[in-house]
Amino acid sequence: MTTCILILRLAATALWQLLPYVVLGVLGSEALRYTSISPLLERGCRRHPAVAIPISAVLGMVSPLCTYGTVPVVLQLLRAGVPVAPLATFLSTSSLMNPQLLLITWGGLGAKMATARLLSVLVFGLVLGVIVHVLPTRFSVQPKIRQEHEERSKQRDSFALKSFAKHSFKTLRFVGFYVVLGILLGAAIEVLIPGRWVVALFGSGGWFQILLAALLGVPLYACGGGVIPLVHALMEQGMSGGAALAFLIAGPATRIPPLMALATIVRPLFVVAYVLFLVAYSVMTGLLYGLV
């Protein structure tokens, strides 16, 4: 009973902190329907995919917004006709890196680790964007969103308060389900899985330790800034830099909230493939880091 209460308290606190970002994101995304921003982005992305994907990767890394704050905007742009590849790139890099996280990594783990983490995120975003770009949308985008795009592409909206409120509520209800579910699952993991278990599992840091670190980063990565001292302590006890990098790459994007956010626009099977690809990529970057 006490555990359930603690989970609910953590979830309520997280929801209170995230709610303003979600609401503002929804309102901002719906406002895009009455501007020329979406058509401009759509034309630019369709004509220059090689430019749109790198720009989206960089914008994701420099964006200070949390994933839930950007998802409503991404949803609206996707429905407006912007290709899924740059939007998926933006979501992935924004969940892996932001300016504050870069500074904390630099201060806690050094310039080499911070630079390696930044470059790894950039490359991952570019590779993911290319993969999504060559995939047919039926394999990646949720059917409901594709259908809404087809319906909305046939009409041009003029501003009306009633219509604005209606679409805002619809988007908020759609995103809100994933927000609440992600928060509850994230709180349960934080309460039920002690972070100290991680410390006892690492040795000197061979390829198996790198793989283990990447896999453990999936359920055990918590707050971006809060995990830096843990990684620093593990490295002091013998954890290799490659294993630490793998943990830092696989962890943030595979937390429950970012995955639930990604699931708002892509199919569940694509989310599974995304996690497997990210874990494999983090192991590869960890091995490369050990050679530098």
Side-chain angles (χ1 to χ4, degrees):
M1 185 65 180
T2 304
T3 302
C4 292
I5 294 176
L6 180 57
I7 292 175
L8 291 176
R9 285 180 177 177
L10 290 174
T13 301
L15 180 61
W16 178 255
Q17 294 173 346
L18 290 173
L19 189 59
Y21 293 98
V22 176
V23 174
L24 289 176
V26 168
L27 295 177
S29 68
E30 288 302 321
L32 289 175
R33 298 174 63 241
Y34 307 101
T35 68
S36 60
I37 295 178
S38 293
L40 288 175
L41 285 175
E42 180 180 0
R43 289 196 296 269
C45 290
R46 290 186 185 280
R47 295 177 182 176
H48 308 287
V51 176
I53 292 174
I55 289 178
S56 299
V58 173
L59 289 177
M61 291 190 295
V62 301
S63 172
L65 296 177
C66 67
T67 306
Y68 285 137
T70 59
V71 165
V73 178
V74 169
L75 276 172
Q76 184 57 48
L77 293 177
L78 184 61
R79 289 165 173 167
V82 175
V84 67
L87 299 180
T89 298
F90 178 84
L91 272 180
S92 65
T93 56
S94 65
S95 64
L96 282 165
M97 178 59 64
N98 58 60
Q100 181 183 13
L101 190 56
L102 177 63
L103 292 176
I104 295 175
T105 304
W106 191 295
L109 301 178
K112 181 180 178 181
M113 180 61 71
T115 303
R117 190 177 188 183
L118 180 67
L119 293 177
S120 298
V121 171
L122 177 61
V123 173
F124 176 77
L126 296 176
V127 173
L128 178 68
V130 172
I131 292 175
V132 176
H133 176 68
V134 299
L135 281 178
T137 57
R138 66 178 181 274
F139 294 130
S140 56
V141 183
Q142 291 223 29
K144 181 179 180 181
I145 296 178
R146 294 205 318 272
Q147 180 181 2
E148 289 180 353
H149 165 58
E150 293 173 358
E151 294 174 352
R152 293 189 181 193
S153 62
K154 299 177 182 178
Q155 58 184 10
R156 294 294 299 273
D157 295 324
S158 58
F159 181 80
L161 183 59
K162 183 178 180 180
S163 176
F164 177 78
K166 178 182 177 180
H167 287 297
S168 296
F169 177 76
K170 181 179 179 181
T171 303
L172 182 61
R173 184 178 58 184
F174 180 61
V175 177
F177 169 78
Y178 292 95
V179 171
V180 174
L181 179 60
I183 287 174
L184 288 174
L185 292 176
I189 289 176
E190 183 176 349
V191 171
L192 299 176
I193 302 181
R196 65 178 183 274
W197 288 4
V198 183
V199 179
L201 294 175
F202 294 101
S204 59
W207 72 267
F208 179 76
Q209 282 72 28
I210 294 177
L211 175 60
L212 184 61
L215 293 175
L216 289 177
V218 175
L220 297 182
Y221 191 97
C223 172
V227 81
I228 298 299
L230 171 62
V231 174
H232 178 76
L234 290 172
M235 294 181 69
E236 289 291 321
Q237 295 179 8
M239 183 183 191
S240 69
L245 180 61
F247 183 88
L248 293 173
I249 294 298
T254 54
R255 291 180 298 121
I256 297 299
L259 290 180
M260 290 296 102
L262 189 64
T264 61
I265 66 171
V266 300
R267 289 177 174 271
L269 185 60
F270 185 88
V271 176
V272 174
Y274 169 82
V275 172
L276 294 176
F277 173 66
L278 181 59
V279 171
Y281 175 82
S282 64
V283 173
M284 183 186 68
T285 56
L287 291 173
L288 291 176
Y289 184 88
L291 300 177
V292 177

